[in-house]
Amino acid sequence: MTRTRLADRINQGVFNALYSRSLVYNTCWEDPAVDRRALHIGPDDRLLVITSAGCNVLDYALCGPARIHAVDANPRQTALLELKLAGIRRLAHADFFALFGDGRHAEARAVYHDALRVDLSPFARSYWDRHIAAFEPGRRGGSFYYFGLSGWVARGFRAYLNFRPGLRTAIDRVLAATDIEEQRAHYDRDVAPRLWGRGMNWALSRPFTMSLLGVPHPQREEVVRSHDNGIAGFIREAVEYVFCSLPITDNYFWSLYLRGRYTASCCPEYLKPEGFAALKSGLVDCIEPHTSTVTGFLHETDEQLSRFVLLDHMDWMSVYHPQALVEEWQAIIERATPDARLIFRSAHAEPGYLETLRIPGIGSLHERFHFERELAAQLQTHDRVHTYAGFHIAQHAV
């Protein structure tokens, strides 16, 4: 075995060890506003959505579909969605926003035991019995959004900013900007010269950093192969696009980790009073959490599904479990309605598996799906996260 292959296996082993023991994502890093425009969710739709942190599951529920099956192989991600569902059903908006907007609640433990715990599954109850302190002020940096693997990176960056007050002030100016021209000027003049240097490039290029952010080794290598300046260069381009080309005023993705909290005017739709009220009035009841793989769930259900939100997991499956990826697409085809639409993301603009996968009895994916490249490219320019090179929309074509 070559030294490179050994290093690859070690890096993936670290990711697997972290993933199997931890809450990876404390918030979703896919823009649901883009997803809605791609999916056209209607009242008769039945969705399969990979859960992640559950934020986008709640966003899609605001469209009023018939059912959303939230599926994730990591039971801790399911536990986070369950806690949010319990909060919507049991709490007033102020308490709910304190927990999931501010990321902290002065009475978090009491709120949990008095109102939320009763609604949780046994695993979720056991998990939050041990970790509800993540929402207590003064713990783990004073915000739930510094908890979990991605939270560790956010805490590390916050600590870095504490040692760089000039950079902290410059970032605050960008966040306070009222238009793109103003934020671009602050970024170019005040942020970029202070932010990008050898230390930052080195930290972003570490496999361990990517593992904490939930980026497995194959996906990291895909970025390295497709970008001349590697991981650090790709992230710099994404940051510069976000801060220089898109309004920051409603970009709750990046501002969350820079502030450590959402604000009332810059937060996901489910945290806004009107969104919370709509969910509480009954829309939340369309959501069913499942701890399972996508294939496992599809084999267990007898429902026909019309919308699929598959995130980016196929990048690593195509490398480590190519046969399992074939089986997943087989299961999707078996359960997809004739008008089904799918969206997923990738570290590569044109991932190779879209051309090389062969489904028994069908052949290429292009035999059953029409990929709407023009629409995907158009929507990609509006994506407020902008950390994926590829956004893909597929229409079932039977």
Side-chain angles (χ1 to χ4, degrees):
M1 181 182 298
T2 66
R3 182 176 298 178
T4 300
R5 287 189 61 198
L6 177 60
D8 291 349
R9 292 186 63 179
I10 291 172
N11 291 334
Q12 187 59 31
V14 169
F15 176 84
N16 291 342
L18 291 169
Y19 180 89
S20 65
R21 294 172 173 82
S22 308
L23 180 78
V24 181
Y25 309 106
N26 56 28
T27 190
C28 289
W29 269 67
E30 295 85 18
D31 190 342
V34 167
D35 296 354
R36 286 195 193 196
R37 293 170 65 182
L39 290 168
H40 312 306
I41 300 170
D44 297 325
D45 283 316
R46 294 177 177 271
L47 288 71
L48 183 156
V49 180
I50 295 180
T51 307
S52 184
C55 316
N56 290 358
V57 172
L58 296 170
D59 188 280
Y60 307 143
L62 290 169
C63 298
R67 180 68 61 200
I68 300 177
H69 294 286
V71 178
D72 206 295
N74 186 337
R76 298 155 197 84
Q77 302 299 151
T78 307
L80 177 54
L81 175 58
E82 287 188 38
L83 193 68
K84 290 179 177 179
L85 296 177
I88 290 168
R89 292 184 172 115
R90 300 279 184 174
L91 301 179
H93 180 258
D95 285 324
F96 186 79
F97 191 90
L99 287 171
F100 297 108
D102 294 329
R104 55 185 179 270
H105 192 301
E107 303 295 332
R109 195 174 298 272
V111 168
Y112 168 69
H113 284 283
D114 294 346
L116 306 180
R117 189 176 185 272
V118 66
D119 281 358
L120 304 182
S121 67
F123 180 90
R125 192 177 300 146
S126 173
Y127 183 78
W128 292 115
D129 284 353
R130 290 176 283 119
H131 295 293
I132 197 63
F135 293 92
E136 293 180 336
R139 297 292 297 271
R140 293 184 172 88
S143 172
F144 168 70
Y145 295 107
Y146 296 130
F147 174 70
L149 298 189
S150 55
W152 291 1
V153 177
R155 288 169 64 192
F157 187 66
R158 189 185 72 155
Y160 174 71
L161 290 180
N162 288 339
F163 286 102
R164 300 285 307 280
L167 178 58
R168 169 82 268 180
T169 300
I171 289 174
D172 288 341
R173 291 194 193 103
V174 173
L175 293 176
T178 57
D179 57 53
I180 292 177
E181 289 72 20
E182 182 184 356
Q183 70 189 45
R184 183 187 299 121
H186 285 310
Y187 176 85
D188 289 340
R189 183 183 65 243
D190 304 323
V191 175
R194 292 179 169 92
L195 179 60
W196 304 111
R198 291 182 181 177
M200 182 60 67
N201 292 341
W202 180 89
L204 293 175
S205 299
R206 297 309 91 194
F208 184 69
T209 305
M210 294 297 102
S211 293
L212 292 179
L213 289 171
V215 179
H217 180 70
Q219 201 169 46
R220 175 182 175 274
E221 289 302 299
E222 192 69 62
V223 174
V224 170
R225 284 193 296 270
S226 61
H227 199 283
D228 291 339
N229 296 314
I231 290 284
F234 176 79
I235 293 176
R236 178 170 182 169
E237 282 189 8
V239 169
E240 290 184 343
Y241 185 88
V242 165
F243 284 91
C244 297
S245 301
L246 299 173
I248 199 65
T249 51
D250 69 345
N251 195 326
Y252 60 80
F253 306 94
W254 289 88
S255 64
L256 169 64
Y257 283 152
L258 293 172
R259 293 186 173 111
R261 60 183 295 271
Y262 294 115
T263 67
S265 61
C266 189
C267 64
E269 295 299 318
Y270 78 91
L271 283 171
K272 296 177 180 178
E274 56 274 21
F276 176 82
L279 290 167
K280 196 176 188 70
S281 69
L283 291 182
V284 73
D285 295 330
C286 76
I287 299 170
E288 288 188 16
H290 307 268
T291 298
S292 175
T293 63
V294 170
T295 304
F297 170 76
L298 290 172
H299 284 167
E300 292 170 2
T301 186
D302 58 1
E303 285 189 52
Q304 294 297 113
L305 303 170
S306 58
R307 300 291 184 268
F308 295 78
V309 181
L310 301 172
L311 306 190
D312 61 344
H313 75 291
M314 287 185 279
D315 277 358
W316 61 265
M317 284 188 71
S318 67
V319 175
Y320 288 110
H321 305 289
Q323 183 55 38
L325 184 55
V326 170
E327 293 168 3
E328 181 176 299
W329 277 102
Q330 283 181 296
I332 289 170
I333 290 168
E334 289 171 3
R335 286 292 163 217
T337 60
D339 63 342
R341 291 177 69 79
L342 298 79
I343 61 171
F344 55 95
R345 289 170 167 86
S346 174
H348 198 288
E350 297 292 339
Y353 60 78
L354 291 183
E355 303 301 326
T356 59
L357 272 184
R358 293 295 179 267
I359 312 301
I362 294 173
S364 165
L365 290 175
H366 298 279
E367 298 294 327
R368 292 298 293 268
F369 294 95
H370 168 64
F371 287 84
E372 300 181 359
R373 288 183 169 85
E374 289 187 11
L375 177 60
Q378 175 192 345
L379 293 178
Q380 180 84 329
T381 63
H382 300 284
D383 191 308
R384 292 170 291 178
V385 179
H386 221 78
T387 54
Y388 294 98
F391 177 58
H392 304 278
I393 306 168
Q395 173 73 50
H396 204 192
V398 293

